[in-house]
Amino acid sequence: MTTAPVTPSPARAATPSSGPGAGLQRRTSALAARVGLLGGLGAALVVACLLAAATGQFHIPVSEVVGSVLHRAGLDLGPLPTHPQAENNLWNVRFPRVVMAALVGAALASAGALMQGVFGNPLAEPGVVGVSSGAAVAAAVVIVFSLDFAGTWTIAVCAFLGGLATTLLVYVMARDNGRTEVVTLVLTGIAVNAVASAGLAFLLFLGNTAAREEIVFWTLGSMNGSRWPEVQVVVPLVVVGLVASLLLARQLDLLALGDRAARHVGVDVERLRLVAIVVVAVLTAAGVAFCGVIAFVGLVVPHLIRMVAGPGHRMLVPASALGGATLLVVADLWARTAIAYADLPIGMLTSLVGGPFFFWLLRRTRRTAGGWA
Amino acid sequence: MSATSRTTDRGLVARGVTVTVDGTTILGGVDLTVLPGEVVVLVGPNGAGKSTLLGALTGDLEPTSGSVELDGVPVASYRARDLARRRAVLLQQQRLAFGFRAREVVEMGRAPWHRAPEAEDDLRMIAEAEARADVAHLAERLYPTLSGGEQARVSFARVLAQGTRLLLLDEPTAALDLQHQEALLRVAVQEAREGSAVVVVLHDLSLAAAYADRVCVLAHGAVRATGTPREVLTPALLSEVYHHPVDVVEHAGHLLVVPVRGPASAPPAPSSPLPKEDSCPV
């Protein structure tokens, strides 16, 4: 979908080509636009991280944050934090939380981009297809029964397995005669989501008060309590997921032609879908495992990137990852500073903004040509 | 096209292709051979099984029984990419899920050659395909904002850019104006003269008569007749197949196929059982 931006945006400012040299010129300017957008988003992410690390119940100047990082990196540059608690607070509380927010944002946004590409529909999202709720049920099982077979990895492993199992179930049920109709798949996703939320309710009922509280906070989504051990679990998942997404990007473009035409230009559609679904499960597990359900990031971010940079996945995937990371770092900063001495659930914030956005997208998609794939 | 020519060109051979869906036979034992260098046009009334046959020829649809072989190898046993290097397909409907530019859509036709030596030809093939489909001026437009006919031509350019020796076109002229209908079929014939095998599904029988080397008439899921346009497109056969009286006239060296109509003012006679026997030249 995505209709024409009326004025050509910087990333798409390719001059209409006519002569033989125009092709080269177009490619160069397209490359410059790509580097520009990714560079801009990267810079925004760095600025957001520094601001987030500097802001909190007591303020640490940005220069001191930078100085602290540089000193740890072995460079004797910049001022060190003056407050006695600052260094400790930065490295044990704020940095892991900021890094976690960035990782989760990148994971969720790129999972959304991937999912939309796979189903050729800008409304598809891990939540819609059942990955999030499947992962949520599995994680709740870990919480309620205090499972601990893999240390800090337990909840991540279970979230991944839960998400993967649910998605594969949806996929197999929605698959008929060697192909997957999008409408069937989305409807099956709705049914699975309903069963999963019943399972979640049952686990809430089973759990003791502490477990209930943990599950409730978890379903609201929060970066609270992210420490280095959790970050260490999430980093490899996000790295693997992002690299795999980038490798799939070229083929995902072709999927926009529809299943049959994509096959006609050489895409093994069923295999691509299966691989992409596993990658989405990895990324969603990374996002969900410790921070709970944070909805709509995977919907809003890829859509905005598509409006600026067009639908090509080689640009969309990395730009969505950077954009999602920036968005969640800022959202988390807001969640923990909006009300003094209170940590708002970040999942609530993203849904508050994302819900109406989904409505708007729904209405707009219905109007524009080619919206329903 | 020579840059992408393959070693074995034995064409496309369908033998006894039968497709049954829910107990209904859609295709019953269809035999069809398409050799390099010829344009074969499939015609027939709605529901005759043209698109189903094309589906079987593309490998999208596995026949209930029978076989489809491309260059001596069953279509089903090719890997998707290898098949895409040998045959290109234009479907009736060209959907696109996202707002890619027309140029990007044409570029998708080069995808099967990614990381192959032929990828060097990408720019030339894309430019050539755009020129032949008359879409070069649309290259920077967003595909979903194009008209139906323009979308069809962009998709045709994508098919040409693929540079394969077999083209399967399902009603490629349906959305096109008169000029572009003729232009597209001229390109198809040109492809055949350069050694490609071309299969086209058409509804317009006069177009079929003008551009086909062979016409294959399908009716009720079976081949009713195959042969040159002059052999096959006869008033008797067409009237029978289409359940409507049809006249075939000759004009400026070409066959024109026209349905017999009543006087302009009155509604057509409900069902005149027989076609006019004397097909007089105008």
Side-chain angles (χ1 to χ4, degrees):
Chain A
M1 202 228 36
T2 67
T3 48
V6 179
T7 48
S9 47
R12 307 280 285 166
T15 47
S17 56
S18 47
L24 186 70
Q25 189 195 342
R26 180 178 166 274
R27 279 179 182 231
T28 325
S29 71
L31 186 72
R34 284 175 64 129
V35 172
L37 181 61
L38 290 181
L41 284 169
L45 177 59
V46 170
V47 170
C49 286
L50 289 176
L51 280 179
T55 317
Q57 278 178 25
F58 66 91
H59 183 73
I60 306 169
V62 172
S63 60
E64 291 182 9
V65 175
V66 175
S68 175
V69 172
L70 290 177
H71 276 87
R72 288 267 177 137
L75 291 167
D76 210 8
L77 289 169
L80 274 174
T82 45
H83 192 283
Q85 285 297 313
E87 180 81 0
N88 193 19
N89 186 298
L90 266 185
W91 287 93
N92 290 332
V93 180
R94 288 197 193 162
F95 280 151
R97 184 168 176 153
V98 167
V99 170
M100 184 63 111
L103 287 171
V104 168
L108 293 176
S110 49
L114 214 56
M115 197 101 256
Q116 286 146 26
V118 166
F119 298 117
N121 192 319
L123 300 177
E125 216 231 333
V128 173
V129 188
V131 204
S132 293
S133 49
V137 170
V141 168
V142 174
I143 294 171
V144 168
F145 297 105
S146 310
L147 299 181
D148 190 24
F149 57 84
T152 45
W153 280 84
T154 313
I155 208 164
V157 167
C158 286
F160 167 69
L161 290 177
L164 188 63
T166 333
T167 321
L168 285 177
L169 181 75
V170 175
Y171 181 73
V172 168
M173 281 174 18
R175 187 183 137 105
D176 185 39
N177 217 357
R179 62 190 63 238
T180 316
E181 295 296 339
V182 170
V183 175
T184 323
L185 186 124
V186 171
L187 289 178
T188 317
I190 290 174
V192 169
N193 271 328
V195 174
S197 61
L200 209 56
F202 183 61
L203 287 165
L204 271 175
F205 170 75
L206 278 187
N208 56 28
T209 318
R212 269 184 211 170
E213 201 157 297
E214 200 178 336
I215 292 176
V216 166
F217 266 94
W218 194 85
T219 51
L220 292 174
S222 176
M223 296 291 153
N224 198 3
S226 299
R227 299 287 179 271
W228 290 121
E230 286 89 14
V231 172
Q232 275 168 14
V233 172
V234 172
V235 166
L237 292 178
V238 173
V239 169
V240 167
L242 281 181
V243 169
S245 313
L246 288 172
L247 292 177
L248 295 178
R250 179 180 285 274
Q251 291 204 310
L252 283 175
D253 284 354
L254 301 174
L255 223 44
L257 293 169
D259 284 11
R260 277 186 79 185
R263 211 170 284 129
H264 296 154
V265 289
V267 179
D268 188 340
V269 174
E270 297 300 308
R271 203 191 59 175
L272 174 62
R273 283 227 159 118
L274 217 55
V275 173
I277 279 172
V278 173
V279 175
V280 167
V282 169
L283 286 169
T284 311
V288 163
F290 299 108
C291 304
V293 180
I294 301 170
F296 294 111
V297 175
L299 190 78
V300 175
V301 175
H303 189 79
L304 293 179
I305 299 290
R306 235 182 253 116
M307 286 169 84
V308 178
H313 288 85
R314 274 163 283 174
M315 187 64 194
L316 182 64
V317 169
S320 292
L322 287 173
T326 311
L327 178 76
L328 224 54
V329 169
V330 172
D332 182 52
L333 176 62
W334 190 38
R336 65 188 165 86
T337 55
I339 300 172
Y341 303 104
D343 210 334
L344 291 177
I346 191 171
M348 185 197 78
L349 288 180
T350 58
S351 295
L352 207 62
V353 179
F357 184 85
F358 189 75
F359 261 128
W360 172 74
L361 202 56
L362 208 61
R363 285 192 61 78
R364 221 184 69 134
T365 307
R366 247 179 21 185
R367 277 203 307 270
T368 40
W372 301 110
Chain B
M1 296 295 111
S2 57
T4 57
S5 70
R6 314 305 296 174
T7 44
T8 52
D9 273 342
R10 287 153 68 183
L12 184 67
V13 182
R15 285 193 202 90
V17 171
T18 301
V19 176
T20 313
V21 177
D22 292 336
T24 311
T25 304
I26 297 176
L27 279 182
V30 170
D31 295 308
L32 181 71
T33 303
V34 189
L35 294 173
E38 68 172 347
V39 176
V40 173
V41 173
L42 299 177
V43 299
N46 294 338
K50 302 184 295 292
S51 290
T52 308
L53 178 56
L54 208 76
L57 296 179
T58 59
D60 291 346
L61 194 92
E62 203 176 331
T64 317
S65 65
S67 69
V68 178
E69 289 183 0
L70 175 57
D71 297 336
V73 180
V75 169
S77 64
Y78 280 99
R79 285 172 50 209
R81 200 191 57 189
D82 295 336
L83 198 53
R85 290 180 176 184
R86 286 167 185 263
R87 66 101 179 83
V89 185
L90 183 65
L91 294 174
Q92 256 182 60
Q93 288 168 340
Q94 299 90 29
R95 306 174 313 167
L96 194 71
F98 296 103
F100 285 97
R101 307 216 173 250
R103 164 68 52 75
E104 294 172 307
V105 174
V106 180
E107 282 171 355
M108 289 178 186
R110 296 304 296 167
W113 304 104
H114 182 54
R115 297 212 180 139
E118 287 85 349
E120 277 185 25
D121 295 334
D122 281 1
L123 286 178
R124 185 180 57 80
M125 294 290 287
I126 290 165
E128 242 176 64
E130 282 178 349
R132 294 174 83 186
D134 189 23
V135 294
H137 59 291
L138 304 174
E140 297 299 328
R141 295 268 305 274
L142 290 173
Y143 184 89
T145 65
L146 299 176
S147 77
E150 289 170 333
Q151 290 186 350
R153 272 152 51 205
V154 169
S155 300
F156 183 57
R158 167 174 65 74
V159 166
L160 289 177
Q162 211 168 323
T164 57
R165 303 303 303 275
L166 171 64
L167 298 180
L168 302 169
L169 314 174
D170 196 353
E171 291 187 31
T173 57
L176 301 188
D177 60 37
L178 187 140
Q179 175 210 348
H180 288 108
Q181 287 188 357
E182 301 288 327
L184 185 145
L185 288 170
R186 271 201 308 275
V187 172
V189 169
Q190 197 185 341
E191 284 285 309
R193 298 299 166 260
E194 287 167 9
S196 294
V198 183
V199 181
V200 192
V201 175
L202 284 181
H203 267 302
D204 187 325
L205 297 169
S206 297
L207 279 178
Y211 292 101
D213 295 311
R214 283 195 299 137
V215 175
C216 174
V217 183
L218 285 174
H220 304 298
V223 177
R224 181 66 181 74
T226 319
T228 64
R230 276 175 199 279
E231 288 167 2
V232 172
L233 299 177
T234 61
L237 182 86
L238 293 177
S239 299
E240 178 206 317
V241 166
Y242 284 93
H243 301 291
H244 186 100
V246 173
D247 215 348
V248 179
V249 296
E250 183 141 354
H251 176 70
H254 288 288
L255 293 182
L256 293 184
V257 181
V258 284
V260 176
R261 298 173 182 128
S265 53
S271 57
S272 40
L274 282 171
K276 270 172 74 179
E277 283 304 316
D278 52 332
S279 54
C280 54
V282 179

